[in-house]
Amino acid sequence: MTGAPAGYDPRAFEPFAVTADLAVLTVRGGQLHVLLIRRGQDPYAGAWALPGGFVLPRESAEGAARRELAEETGLPAAVVDALHLEQLRTYSEPDRDPRMRVVSVAFTALVPDMPEPAAEGGGDADRARWVPAGEARQLAFDHAVILADARERVGAKLEYTCLARAFCPPEFTLGELQAVYETVWGTSLDRPNFRRKVLATPGFVEAVPGAARLTGGRGKPAALYRPGPATALHPPLLRPTEGHQR
């Protein structure tokens, strides 16, 4: 890498920091949950926040996101390394952090039901836990805005991508897949219509030959499916309009 151009003075620009923050979402007990940490240091000591922290000088934003998630939640390194992170957007309002000018690169991670985080957090977190996303309102910094943006992005992407499968175990029933859509969208779906649309979408799911799982009802065990090769839904699986199910 070549040096700075002649006459370039980096001191002419005010320095600022970069952080990486994560909205890690899962479905637990029929509710959408987000992974939060309780801050053990100022600013916002004692407040709940999304996992995240400062990007080190020789580190990528995604690398910092994974490192901070492991440090603050105590989740196993293998679990953190396997997460599929999707960049959400950049948050750069000048006064979003009281310490100095801080720009945050936010990520979302969508996961099936994960282990409980460590009882005691690490880094600048003193605790981590799963919280129903609808109850996560008073968050540190602008993390409530980041979480709201993440929920809206996930809800929209469920319509035209196969993202819902990320909330499911490797093998799942169509009822479990439908529960993901109902939980994220906050609405009920007609079961026969949902099943018909899913099975008619090429590559969305594949049947697991001979496999079935008992569900809560008295009927026969439900067939198991796994993700198919598709990444997009054609046609899209649209959210029902108010008072109308698709």
Side-chain angles (χ1 to χ4, degrees):
M1 185 173 69
T2 60
Y8 174 76
D9 183 7
R11 294 170 297 179
F13 301 93
E14 182 178 347
F16 64 91
V18 177
T19 59
D21 294 305
L22 300 101
V24 183
L25 300 170
T26 193
V27 174
R28 314 184 101 206
Q31 285 187 291
L32 185 68
H33 280 65
V34 61
L35 185 59
L36 298 181
I37 59 98
R38 188 171 64 190
R39 291 186 55 79
Q41 302 175 9
D42 283 326
Y44 299 106
W48 290 95
L50 299 175
F54 289 100
V55 178
L56 301 179
R58 305 298 298 175
E59 187 177 45
S60 69
E62 182 172 328
R66 294 185 189 277
R67 173 181 54 78
E68 288 285 348
L69 183 61
E71 290 177 359
E72 294 185 337
T73 67
L75 290 171
V79 171
V80 173
D81 290 344
L83 288 182
H84 172 69
L85 300 185
E86 179 175 330
Q87 188 169 324
L88 177 62
R89 56 166 288 194
T90 300
Y91 296 82
S92 58
E93 290 299 316
D95 299 322
R96 59 179 303 275
D97 191 310
R99 292 168 292 191
M100 62 180 297
R101 179 74 189 273
V102 177
V103 173
S104 177
V105 181
F107 296 86
T108 58
L110 312 175
V111 297
D113 198 359
M114 289 177 65
E116 287 290 342
E120 295 183 0
D124 59 1
D126 67 9
R127 186 180 175 190
R129 69 181 175 117
W130 292 103
V131 176
E135 299 176 9
R137 298 184 182 91
Q138 301 296 324
L139 302 182
F141 306 105
D142 55 356
H143 289 186
V145 174
I146 297 176
L147 175 57
D149 289 346
R151 294 182 65 182
E152 177 56 33
R153 171 74 65 84
V154 170
K157 292 198 73 171
L158 257 58
E159 295 186 320
Y160 60 89
T161 75
C162 300
L163 193 63
R165 301 178 312 199
F167 286 105
C168 297
E171 296 181 353
F172 49 86
T173 68
L174 293 184
E176 290 170 334
L177 184 64
Q178 180 174 336
V180 169
Y181 280 91
E182 292 180 333
T183 299
V184 174
W185 288 346
T187 189
S188 60
L189 301 174
D190 180 75
R191 182 177 177 181
N193 283 344
F194 179 83
R195 178 183 180 87
R196 174 178 54 81
K197 287 178 176 290
V198 169
L199 296 180
T201 303
F204 189 10
V205 298
E206 295 178 343
V208 179
R213 176 182 298 153
L214 286 171
T215 58
R218 294 184 176 181
K220 64 181 181 180
L224 290 180
Y225 295 83
R226 60 192 170 210
T231 57
L233 299 180
H234 301 290
L237 190 62
L238 299 178
R239 272 179 276 200
T241 55
E242 187 175 351
H244 180 261
Q245 290 187 359
R246 295 180 185 271

